[in-house]
Amino acid sequence: MHAQIPEVSLKFRVSPILALILLTAFWPFGVAYGVVGSIFGVGLLGLSAALSLPKSIDLMFGLILALMAFGAQFLGAVFLGIEVGGAQVPMVFTTAVVWFIQLAAFGLDLHFFAETHVRQVESSIPKRRGRQSAFSAEVERTAA
């Protein structure tokens, strides 16, 4: 029996551009909006850099990490935006819109620029030595 280990090579093209736009474009609208843009920009840039490293982590753990980062960004942006003087409704609305734009950019990068390489690993079953019992021979025959 051979195990298959998928290795995924991710190249982010849209997300880093969006991150740089978010870092700079929101500051003219005020400090609260600048904080929201900065939180999303830094988080998205860091996540893109971490997941772009070759063989850094597998895809499932990377997606779980991305979901945790997206949740932390949403809560952090709303609470810090309100804390620095933004009104509650505009901060939640702006954060929700930016969150969905970020999610779309991340999904586009995963959909269009991800390459999957599947390699097979040889079985790690040790070779049998000596005589086999009738039960182990039957199990081996049915497994093959």
Side-chain angles (χ1 to χ4, degrees):
M1 176 193 315
H2 296 284
Q4 292 185 349
I5 298 176
E7 291 181 0
V8 179
S9 174
L10 296 177
K11 293 178 177 65
F12 290 97
R13 302 243 184 342
V14 178
S15 295
I17 294 170
L18 177 65
L20 294 175
I21 290 170
L22 290 174
L23 279 170
T24 57
F26 279 69
W27 285 102
F29 300 108
V31 175
Y33 293 100
V35 167
V36 170
S38 295
I39 288 173
F40 277 104
V42 169
L44 188 58
L45 201 58
L47 188 64
S48 306
L51 294 179
S52 293
L53 294 172
K55 296 184 183 179
S56 59
I57 50 180
D58 65 335
L59 181 63
M60 187 57 68
F61 182 72
L63 292 178
I64 292 170
L65 181 68
L67 287 175
M68 289 183 347
F70 290 166
Q73 284 174 325
F74 189 87
L75 292 175
V78 167
F79 290 130
L80 288 177
I82 292 171
E83 189 65 31
V84 296
Q88 185 176 1
V89 173
M91 286 297 102
V92 172
F93 180 74
T94 303
T95 302
V97 169
V98 172
W99 189 83
F100 280 111
I101 291 171
Q102 170 184 278
L103 187 62
F106 189 78
L108 284 172
D109 280 336
L110 284 180
H111 182 70
F112 289 113
F113 303 115
E115 298 174 9
T116 305
H117 307 284
V118 178
R119 65 181 177 97
Q120 292 188 349
V121 177
E122 289 194 27
S123 168
S124 61
I125 299 173
K127 293 183 179 180
R128 306 229 185 248
R129 295 184 199 161
R131 237 180 88 186
Q132 289 184 341
S133 67
F135 178 72
S136 64
E138 180 67 23
V139 168
E140 187 174 304
R141 190 172 48 113
T142 58

